[in-house]
Amino acid sequence: MTETWATRAGLDLFLAPEAARGARPRRALEDALRDAVRTGRLAAGTRVPSSRSLAADLGIARNTVAEVYGQLVAEGWFEARVGSGTWVGERPRPAARPAPPERTTRPAADLRAGLPDGTQLPRSAWTAATRRAIEALGPGELGYTPRVGLPRLREEVAEYVARTRGVVARPDDVVVTTGFSETLALVCAALRASGARRLAVEAYGHERHRAIARAAGLDLQVLPVDDDGARVDLLDADAVLLTPAHQFPTGVPLAPARRVAVARWAEATDGLVVEDDYDGELRYDRRPVGALQALAPGHVVYAGTANKAFAPSLGVGWAVAPGWLVAELERIRADRGVRADGLGQAVLADLLATHAYDRHVRRVRVAYRERRDRLAAALASRVPRAQLRGLPAGLHVVVELPDGVAASAAVEAGERHGVLFEALADFRAAVPGIVGGADADGRCVVVGFGAPPAHAYAAALEGTVAALAEAAG
Amino acid sequence: MTETWATRAGLDLFLAPEAARGARPRRALEDALRDAVRTGRLAAGTRVPSSRSLAADLGIARNTVAEVYGQLVAEGWFEARVGSGTWVGERPRPAARPAPPERTTRPAADLRAGLPDGTQLPRSAWTAATRRAIEALGPGELGYTPRVGLPRLREEVAEYVARTRGVVARPDDVVVTTGFSETLALVCAALRASGARRLAVEAYGHERHRAIARAAGLDLQVLPVDDDGARVDLLDADAVLLTPAHQFPTGVPLAPARRVAVARWAEATDGLVVEDDYDGELRYDRRPVGALQALAPGHVVYAGTANKAFAPSLGVGWAVAPGWLVAELERIRADRGVRADGLGQAVLADLLATHAYDRHVRRVRVAYRERRDRLAAALASRVPRAQLRGLPAGLHVVVELPDGVAASAAVEAGERHGVLFEALADFRAAVPGIVGGADADGRCVVVGFGAPPAHAYAAALEGTVAALAEAAG
């Protein structure tokens, strides 16, 4: 076929016998011309044939071509120039083809702290709860979900955290978020808006949390962490972020006297405590210490999440906050335009109401405890000079290596054995002039046992133990 | 029974015959004592009996009581004072009882603009898609969902907006948000971070959107709206928020020449156009004008949502943005800690991939068109002097009342007839010195027809027509 304007534009379809053209020539021609412009087959600034001429070439009605030109002019693909016909618009357009997917290297077993095993998601319970929840949605639950969460879920969360963690909570005190990070970001913004300038953080923690606070415009005071938890006696800030039940990632619980001291500090200074109860549900050896929040509900925002014990893909967290702060969190969420998925919240409310949530938590707690026990037993037998900390709860342990063994050497050995874990020092706030943590800091690694799927845990465990044994000599 | 310390503390259970105490006295005693402190039955600062004495009163092992005291001290409810026994901690605690629910007045039929009918949610399609999506979740989809959205949903959205709206989109260009408001808030924050100071907005729009822009630190330029849409020739800003397909709420489409002009403006000034395609899927009378984004993909962020056509309770929106902006939106979302529900995203991806989403949109489009036609017919027959605008799309119409009839009078008549609609002037940006909109502004009301459930629409329609007929005399 010789190249004509129509073939250049990719209109070959229209040159084929009538039967091949389909029933909707107008739509097909529009799509073909748009595609031709988008991909550059029809260059910007070129003139297109008159509608009469193209209609004759294609064997379709002139009126059809004229309508298509009109549509494409309206959409800006073509330009109609008075007295000079129709032209392809002048701006360049990138191709619409998807980019080829990036090649990914085979990942090592991920033993970073705090990551749960997403494959524990109880798929059939979720599906069953969805069916029930969707059928039960009332007329008031089908519109836009309130910024602070679906009322039914706020009720269930209030009941749940009171029952499991001793939190003093009415439904009106609960704000549903997409997870702890969002809770923290909202609280930091509320603090800043109320004139606060400084947030105290523990010397160890997630760098992401510190970044969120800094992004909100807060300065950080770093509190050293010792065997009784964070040194709250050194507090010199407007608010403090704590992990009282199980300091992250060192595993130290905040000592009772310090719990009382920080509650008194908050009341005396009108300060705010942000209680990150990140692994409140994952306690193995004894009944957990209750939430600090109950000591001073007017000055503590309690923050929990369903993402660790239930499923990270859920994307749900909750805050129990004093009244003024609930109103502020709602206002800031509105300014950020964030409004979480009401359907998912209805499903979670159903899971809590039917106790399917509790049943699932108990099941994963047993599974994670068994992983922890296997890790502890393997290390005791094959790296006997290592000491373990932070065992009673959570999804990771701290391994203190023998004197003279650098954590960095263990991390490198891990890479050679195909496992990814981190040095304790990686969690330390990088603030010059403030020393935090135990002397052993440089010899400690943090080993998560949550993330690998069950079938991959044995290999991840073997790689970890081999790496630590190698590093410890 | 005489009042003893134990009865005051609500421990009557333990004074009953042994059989009533249950198998776990330690847990029951802990809960009872916590509850007593929380509700004030045990006042702060009072001394509690010795463990020996209370154990004798209750007929349980002294060791159990001692353990319970230890736990409550650890949790901060009690204080152990050296040489002086155990005391109830000193800070007051609010009661944990839920507040009584507020009495709500019976709402009028809600005919505010832009609200869809949540009862249109296709419950069985959603449940079926959930079952499929949850079963199909791959190992890479069970962890934390990427800030920019589940990869599978980004692919489906790119395909969907290219197909239905002519948007030039690769999966990597798509950012999944919780709705248009979040998209706008993120874009405003990105603009501010890049040094932009001024956002142009249309003279009519949602006050919430203007509030979001101001909260992000942007000044507003207000563009008058005439019969060709926003006066983009007056642009003097770093970026502009437009509703090109169907100006909200006046209903005017942006004229082809202005579409081209604003694309050229963006390219020439390195400006950014935020294209709010809020009702892109709800067009009734003709094939929609394609997205403006295709004219200048490097300078337009296209924003759509599933909340109007599908279900507001879904809480999903999407942005198609230039590369630099995708990276910025991701960064800012991380600073805000927002991470949307991966399970819901997987379900939506399934609905798009199986075209159940399209089938639903076609179904509601027919239902909404029928509502619009009934409203138009009733007004033509009973308020013949009123003129309608903005009919071809969306969930509302603008009713221009006859000369001399104030919109406020019509709104008040609506209240008497149990229907809630708004004056066009309520949507006008309140910026002194800049006049926007038609002369008829003060005679126009905006009547939504989306929100009432199907069974309530006839009554809402009757109330509206009666009110407008009354106001128009």
Side-chain angles (χ1 to χ4, degrees):
Chain A
M1 193 183 287
T2 47
E3 185 166 84
T4 65
W5 190 92
T7 52
R8 273 203 310 284
L11 305 183
D12 314 53
L13 176 68
F14 290 89
L15 303 171
E18 187 141 354
R21 281 175 214 160
R24 301 159 71 192
R26 180 186 156 163
R27 173 69 180 272
L29 181 58
E30 259 184 49
D31 288 346
L33 287 173
R34 263 196 216 98
D35 198 51
V37 178
R38 218 183 260 132
T39 57
R41 283 199 307 279
L42 280 185
T46 58
R47 188 175 163 181
V48 303
S50 71
S51 57
R52 180 192 306 268
S53 146
L54 184 62
D57 276 2
L58 299 178
I60 60 179
R62 181 187 170 188
N63 202 37
T64 301
V65 178
E67 279 176 18
V68 167
Y69 281 11
Q71 177 71 22
L72 295 178
V73 167
E75 296 182 15
W77 300 94
F78 286 179
E79 290 168 24
R81 298 187 190 164
V82 176
S84 128
T86 306
W87 297 69
V88 180
E90 294 220 341
R91 61 225 61 71
R93 297 180 181 86
R97 297 302 99 209
E102 275 179 34
R103 204 172 255 291
T104 53
T105 53
R106 187 132 187 258
D110 191 345
L111 298 179
R112 286 175 299 163
L115 297 177
D117 172 10
T119 66
Q120 301 271 356
L121 171 74
R123 299 183 195 226
S124 58
W126 183 268
T127 303
T130 299
R131 196 180 52 243
R132 287 192 302 265
I134 295 290
E135 286 310 316
L137 281 173
E141 298 177 316
L142 288 161
Y144 288 100
T145 307
R147 300 270 176 210
V148 289
L150 201 68
R152 199 142 48 99
L153 181 57
R154 297 172 83 194
E155 285 172 25
E156 292 297 338
V157 167
E159 199 277 329
Y160 180 76
V161 297
R163 174 163 56 80
T164 60
R165 306 293 293 122
V167 173
V168 179
R170 294 168 310 161
D172 285 351
D173 305 326
V174 175
V175 178
V176 180
T177 70
T178 60
F180 176 73
S181 290
E182 192 198 351
T183 302
L184 178 63
L186 292 170
V187 169
C188 287
L191 283 167
R192 199 66 200 82
S194 76
R197 305 194 59 86
R198 202 164 191 218
L199 175 73
V201 298
E202 297 167 325
Y204 295 92
H206 282 293
E207 173 55 26
R208 174 104 298 271
H209 295 168
R210 296 187 290 260
I212 284 171
R214 283 191 297 259
L218 294 170
D219 296 329
L220 299 184
Q221 181 198 3
V222 177
L223 299 177
V225 172
D226 63 21
D227 291 343
D228 285 337
R231 288 283 306 278
V232 293
D233 56 309
L234 300 177
L235 265 171
D236 178 22
D238 303 292
V240 58
L241 168 62
L242 293 174
T243 50
H246 189 234
Q247 204 282 323
F248 183 87
T250 65
V252 183
L254 191 64
R258 290 196 184 165
R259 290 165 63 92
V260 172
V262 74
R264 295 229 166 111
W265 164 85
E267 288 171 335
T269 64
D270 204 18
L272 185 74
V273 180
V274 185
E275 178 174 20
D276 176 8
D277 197 36
Y278 68 101
D279 61 3
E281 291 152 325
L282 296 172
R283 314 247 129 205
Y284 307 123
D285 300 327
R286 56 178 171 76
R287 184 118 189 280
V289 175
L292 170 61
Q293 185 263 6
L295 299 183
H299 289 89
V300 178
V301 48
Y302 170 87
T305 178
N307 296 343
K308 290 216 194 308
F310 199 82
S313 47
L314 191 58
V316 172
W318 41 71
V320 177
W324 71 270
L325 187 54
V326 169
E328 273 293 278
L329 300 183
E330 182 173 16
R331 180 186 67 78
I332 294 162
R333 239 186 163 214
D335 279 347
R336 295 179 175 194
V338 177
R339 190 192 309 271
D341 162 23
L343 301 184
Q345 292 191 29
V347 176
L348 184 58
D350 175 277
L351 289 164
L352 285 164
T354 59
H355 294 272
Y357 188 90
D358 294 74
R359 282 191 294 279
H360 176 70
V361 168
R362 278 202 296 277
R363 193 170 67 75
V364 299
R365 194 191 285 134
V366 169
Y368 287 134
R369 183 171 56 200
E370 202 229 341
R371 292 186 183 198
R372 179 204 63 163
D373 292 346
R374 286 167 66 188
L375 175 61
L379 287 172
S381 98
R382 291 173 52 196
V383 199
R385 293 163 63 219
Q387 289 184 32
L388 301 191
R389 296 193 211 147
L391 286 173
L395 295 172
H396 68 274
V397 295
V398 174
V399 182
E400 183 182 333
L401 295 163
D403 254 343
V405 180
S408 56
V411 170
E412 283 164 24
E415 284 167 16
R416 285 194 299 277
H417 287 270
V419 291
L420 172 63
F421 51 78
E422 293 162 289
L424 178 58
D426 293 343
F427 295 90
R428 204 170 49 197
V431 175
I434 297 177
V435 178
D439 300 342
D441 173 296
R443 288 185 278 118
C444 287
V445 293
V446 183
V447 179
F449 48 80
H455 66 83
Y457 185 62
L461 177 62
E462 175 54 32
T464 303
V465 174
L468 294 178
E470 184 179 306
Chain B
M1 194 184 289
T2 47
E3 184 167 85
T4 65
W5 190 92
T7 52
R8 273 204 310 283
L11 307 183
D12 314 53
L13 175 68
F14 290 90
L15 303 171
E18 187 140 355
R21 278 174 216 160
R24 300 158 72 190
R26 181 185 155 162
R27 173 70 182 270
L29 181 57
E30 260 184 49
D31 287 347
L33 288 172
R34 264 198 215 95
D35 197 53
V37 178
R38 219 182 259 132
T39 58
R41 284 199 307 279
L42 280 186
T46 58
R47 189 176 160 178
V48 303
S50 71
S51 58
R52 179 192 309 266
S53 147
L54 184 60
D57 276 3
L58 299 178
I60 59 178
R62 181 188 170 189
N63 203 36
T64 300
V65 178
E67 280 176 16
V68 166
Y69 281 12
Q71 177 73 20
L72 294 178
V73 167
E75 295 182 15
W77 300 94
F78 286 179
E79 290 168 23
R81 298 185 189 164
V82 177
S84 127
T86 305
W87 298 69
V88 179
E90 295 219 340
R91 62 224 62 71
R93 296 179 181 86
R97 297 302 100 208
E102 274 178 36
R103 205 172 255 290
T104 53
T105 55
R106 188 133 190 256
D110 192 345
L111 298 180
R112 286 174 299 162
L115 297 178
D117 172 10
T119 66
Q120 301 270 358
L121 171 74
R123 299 182 196 228
S124 58
W126 183 267
T127 303
T130 299
R131 195 179 55 244
R132 285 191 302 265
I134 295 288
E135 286 309 316
L137 281 172
E141 298 177 316
L142 289 160
Y144 288 100
T145 307
R147 299 272 175 208
V148 288
L150 203 66
R152 199 142 48 99
L153 181 57
R154 297 172 82 195
E155 283 171 26
E156 292 297 339
V157 166
E159 199 279 329
Y160 180 76
V161 297
R163 175 164 55 80
T164 60
R165 305 294 292 123
V167 174
V168 179
R170 294 168 311 161
D172 285 351
D173 304 327
V174 175
V175 178
V176 180
T177 70
T178 62
F180 177 73
S181 290
E182 192 198 350
T183 302
L184 178 63
L186 292 171
V187 169
C188 288
L191 283 168
R192 197 67 198 80
S194 75
R197 305 193 61 86
R198 201 164 192 217
L199 175 73
V201 299
E202 296 166 327
Y204 295 92
H206 282 294
E207 174 54 26
R208 175 105 296 273
H209 295 169
R210 297 187 288 260
I212 284 171
R214 283 191 297 259
L218 294 171
D219 297 329
L220 298 184
Q221 181 198 1
V222 177
L223 300 177
V225 172
D226 63 22
D227 291 344
D228 285 337
R231 290 280 307 276
V232 294
D233 56 309
L234 301 177
L235 267 171
D236 177 22
D238 303 293
V240 58
L241 169 61
L242 294 174
T243 49
H246 189 234
Q247 204 284 323
F248 182 88
T250 65
V252 184
L254 190 64
R258 290 196 184 166
R259 292 165 62 92
V260 172
V262 73
R264 295 231 165 109
W265 165 86
E267 287 171 336
T269 65
D270 204 19
L272 186 74
V273 180
V274 185
E275 177 174 20
D276 176 7
D277 196 37
Y278 68 102
D279 61 3
E281 290 152 325
L282 297 172
R283 314 247 129 207
Y284 306 124
D285 299 328
R286 57 176 170 77
R287 184 118 188 280
V289 175
L292 171 61
Q293 185 263 6
L295 298 184
H299 290 90
V300 178
V301 48
Y302 170 87
T305 177
N307 295 344
K308 290 217 196 303
F310 198 83
S313 48
L314 191 58
V316 172
W318 43 69
V320 177
W324 71 270
L325 186 54
V326 169
E328 273 293 279
L329 300 182
E330 181 173 18
R331 180 186 69 77
I332 294 162
R333 241 188 160 210
D335 279 347
R336 295 179 174 193
V338 176
R339 191 193 305 273
D341 162 24
L343 301 184
Q345 292 192 29
V347 177
L348 184 57
D350 176 277
L351 289 164
L352 286 164
T354 60
H355 294 272
Y357 188 91
D358 294 74
R359 282 189 295 277
H360 176 70
V361 168
R362 278 202 297 276
R363 194 170 67 73
V364 299
R365 194 190 286 135
V366 169
Y368 287 134
R369 183 172 55 200
E370 201 230 342
R371 291 186 183 198
R372 179 204 64 162
D373 292 346
R374 286 166 66 188
L375 176 61
L379 287 172
S381 100
R382 290 172 53 197
V383 199
R385 292 165 62 222
Q387 288 183 31
L388 300 192
R389 295 194 214 148
L391 287 172
L395 295 172
H396 68 274
V397 295
V398 174
V399 182
E400 182 180 333
L401 294 163
D403 254 341
V405 180
S408 56
V411 170
E412 283 165 24
E415 284 167 17
R416 286 194 298 276
H417 286 270
V419 291
L420 172 62
F421 52 77
E422 294 162 287
L424 178 58
D426 293 343
F427 294 89
R428 204 171 47 198
V431 175
I434 298 178
V435 178
D439 299 342
D441 172 298
R443 290 185 277 118
C444 287
V445 293
V446 183
V447 179
F449 49 79
H455 66 83
Y457 185 63
L461 176 62
E462 175 54 33
T464 302
V465 174
L468 294 178
E470 184 180 307

